[in-house]
Amino acid sequence: DGGITQSPKYLFRKEGQNVTLSCEQNLNHDAMYWYRQDPGQGLRLIYYSQIVNDFQKGDIAEGYSVSREKKESFPLTVTSAQKNPTAFYLCASRLNTDTQYFGPGTRLTVL
Amino acid sequence: AQSVTQLGSHVSVSEGALVLLRCNYSSSVPPYLFWYVQYPNQGLQLLLKYTSAATLVKGINGFEAEFKKSETSFHLTKPSAHMSDAAEYFCATSTGANSKLTFGKGITLSVRP
């Protein structure tokens, strides 16, 4: 069953902790993306990767880090430097076309 | 730089009524345009896309959108709303197949019985 999976669905973090959100795809897509969604603000791009072992900052990369060691995986780490991390995080992927396909999302809450 | 404007944050219609969700874009090059739908606590699902072929684009669930270059618009319509259409809708634009998406802020559609 092909698709994009994100885990966990819900994540709670204490202030000062780093957390890593998982994104996996078995669609053989080249490009992968991480977005942050806040109420009334749409989606904002955090990081993206066009190929393995390469990634670029998006519009709001501060306080986040990523890696792309495998084509299928693009984990996002929310570091303690991110001052307001509570949000809904969406991962997407794209083959060599114009359309991005989205995972189900992870809701991160800072306690 | 590209931008997308979705006026208003909430639209409410009666079941069976016309749905019209507005989207205006700004782009220095011919744009690619997309409408996505998001149900609560879920990811985004592609409804339809315009990539410089036919200006009237038909999508899933009975939705369609028309690209009007003179008005820089790509409004989403559905002739008859169904309760299951209640969701948040996002318009997005890019400049080509390998470029980033720029999203509007989204519009929440409510459907009254």
Side-chain angles (χ1 to χ4, degrees):
Chain A
D1 194 28
I4 304 171
T5 58
Q6 293 186 241
S7 60
K9 186 170 178 64
Y10 298 96
L11 186 57
F12 298 90
R13 188 194 97 170
K14 294 181 180 179
E15 285 194 27
Q17 285 183 336
N18 293 355
V19 289
T20 298
L21 283 59
S22 169
C23 178
E24 304 278 331
Q25 53 98 1
N26 61 4
L27 301 168
N28 199 33
H29 285 181
D30 298 307
M32 297 186 74
Y33 304 80
W34 273 106
Y35 294 90
R36 171 182 171 136
Q37 183 179 14
D38 296 281
Q41 295 195 44
L43 277 70
R44 293 180 290 170
L45 182 63
I46 304 173
Y47 269 98
Y48 64 104
S49 168
Q50 306 272 34
I51 57 173
V52 175
N53 293 322
D54 187 44
F55 49 83
Q56 289 79 39
K57 293 181 178 180
D59 301 318
I60 56 165
E62 184 175 352
Y64 300 97
S65 66
V66 293
S67 63
R68 187 86 187 277
E69 297 176 0
K70 299 185 299 182
K71 189 175 186 178
E72 313 80 59
S73 178
F74 191 42
L76 173 74
T77 296
V78 184
T79 75
S80 56
Q82 170 49 239
K83 297 306 178 188
N84 185 22
T86 294
F88 191 50
Y89 291 86
L90 287 159
C91 177
S93 69
R94 177 181 58 77
L95 191 54
N96 196 23
T97 63
D98 45 74
T99 304
Q100 291 185 25
Y101 296 91
F102 285 80
T106 292
R107 186 166 298 280
L108 173 63
T109 302
V110 174
L111 302 174
Chain B
Q2 304 166 86
S3 66
V4 173
T5 301
Q6 295 183 252
L7 287 178
S9 59
H10 186 228
V11 169
S12 181
V13 300
S14 297
E15 192 173 19
L18 171 71
V19 175
L20 170 61
L21 303 181
R22 299 178 186 274
C23 173
N24 289 88
Y25 69 91
S26 171
S27 177
S28 58
V29 298
Y32 286 24
L33 293 159
F34 306 81
W35 275 100
Y36 284 89
V37 61
Q38 183 182 36
Y39 299 99
N41 289 312
Q42 294 186 26
L44 274 65
Q45 180 182 7
L46 181 69
L47 276 177
L48 48 81
K49 64 181 180 183
Y50 166 78
T51 56
S52 74
T55 57
L56 182 62
V57 181
K58 294 188 183 299
I60 63 172
N61 301 340
F63 284 94
E64 64 180 36
E66 186 172 9
F67 172 69
K68 292 187 176 180
K69 184 178 179 180
S70 60
E71 299 177 8
T72 61
S73 69
F74 190 58
H75 302 331
L76 182 71
T77 60
K78 181 175 181 178
S80 177
H82 191 272
M83 297 297 291
S84 61
D85 295 327
E88 190 162 16
Y89 292 80
F90 292 93
C91 183
T93 185
S94 72
T95 57
N98 295 317
S99 67
K100 297 177 287 182
L101 282 175
T102 299
F103 284 87
K105 292 181 184 280
I107 298 176
T108 299
L109 174 66
S110 299
V111 182
R112 304 184 300 270

